[in-house]
Amino acid sequence: METRHWPLYGLCVTTPRLELRLPDTALLDELAAVAADGVHDPAEMPFAFPWTDVPPKERGRSTLQHVLATIAEWRPEKWTLSLAVLCDGAVVGRQDVITADFAVTREADTGSWLGRVHQGRGIGTEMRAAVLHLGFVALGARGMTSAAMTDNARSLAVSRKLGYRSDGLATESVRGRARTVQRLRIGRADWEEHRTVPVEVRGLEPCRELLGLEPAGAPRA
């Protein structure tokens, strides 16, 4: 993908098994197919917004539209970086980083999903570790947040393993009933203490303006 006008296509975050990058047209089609194949047991709903409660074809289409919308709506002061996650060269899921006024708050939220057939292999932990490294090391975050339904044991286990702490509860209306959401937060010290996954970030410098960051080497307030 040509990066001259949208350098974020050149941003790449890698771990021993994974590669996270903004998907071009071909990878976006693969990502949509993974979503269409299923993300969770239909009897459950791990998301506050039940985007998976549609037929497979529509689920794939909405995945494609989501990523394209994040690009169309991107502003340096408010953005969602929606990364395709590849394992051994195949797309397995998506990892989002969401923030507003990052230059001021130095905080970002994360959200993700993994194709159902790829779950149970530690990929969810590794992809979250990748974006925590992106946040704390590459972007200079002070804190990162996440959230999960209180009955989503897998997601909560990933957060605890990586060093998140509880940050209160919230109530969401999901499928017409009240669900309790556990908010989570991790600061740099807790991240440093729990980090075990080696991560490399490439292609960041051309993206700094789009991310609302000062030039490399500039003094930080």
Side-chain angles (χ1 to χ4, degrees):
M1 174 68 75
E2 174 60 52
T3 62
R4 179 175 53 171
H5 298 297
W6 203 253
L8 288 164
Y9 280 115
L11 179 64
C12 185
V13 186
T14 58
T15 70
R17 289 191 297 172
L18 307 180
E19 181 180 17
L20 285 72
R21 52 193 172 100
L22 187 64
D24 59 14
T25 304
L27 287 182
L28 189 49
D29 188 66
E30 290 185 39
L31 182 65
V34 174
D37 285 342
V39 177
H40 58 83
D41 183 339
E44 303 170 353
M45 178 44 67
F47 307 116
F49 174 68
W51 64 275
T52 51
D53 273 357
V54 292
K57 185 176 181 179
E58 187 175 341
R59 193 160 57 238
R61 185 184 298 120
S62 69
T63 297
L64 184 146
Q65 288 179 300
H66 166 83
V67 177
L68 294 178
T70 64
I71 297 171
E73 297 169 1
W74 190 288
R75 292 179 288 129
E77 60 272 20
K78 185 177 182 181
W79 47 262
T80 296
L81 180 61
S82 197
L83 302 170
V85 181
L86 291 81
C87 183
D88 298 325
V91 177
V92 296
R94 196 182 83 209
Q95 177 73 64
D96 287 0
V97 183
I98 309 108
T99 189
D101 293 319
F102 182 80
V104 177
T105 66
R106 293 288 170 175
E107 283 197 355
D109 191 34
T110 65
S112 64
W113 57 262
L114 192 61
R116 195 172 178 187
V117 298
H118 304 291
Q119 297 171 13
R121 299 163 53 194
I123 294 174
T125 301
E126 198 165 324
M127 60 199 245
R128 185 101 66 88
V131 289
L132 287 179
H133 181 101
L134 174 67
F136 285 117
V137 176
L139 306 183
R142 297 191 185 102
M144 300 284 282
T145 60
S146 186
M149 298 294 174
T150 52
D151 58 0
N152 190 341
R154 285 186 176 180
S155 180
L156 292 172
V158 167
S159 297
R160 303 300 184 201
K161 184 176 182 179
L162 292 170
Y164 286 79
R165 297 175 184 263
S166 298
D167 192 39
L169 300 174
T171 302
E172 298 277 359
S173 174
V174 182
R175 287 178 169 174
R177 66 186 184 92
R179 298 282 302 280
T180 304
V181 177
Q182 174 69 66
R183 297 195 301 262
L184 300 145
R185 178 181 297 272
I186 184 169
R188 184 167 187 128
D190 284 329
W191 170 73
E192 290 275 9
E193 182 180 346
H194 291 82
R195 62 185 295 199
T196 59
V197 178
V199 181
E200 181 181 355
V201 178
R202 301 192 303 274
L204 176 69
E205 289 309 309
C207 304
R208 296 186 71 86
E209 182 181 358
L210 278 173
L211 294 166
L213 301 174
E214 67 276 3
R220 184 181 301 166

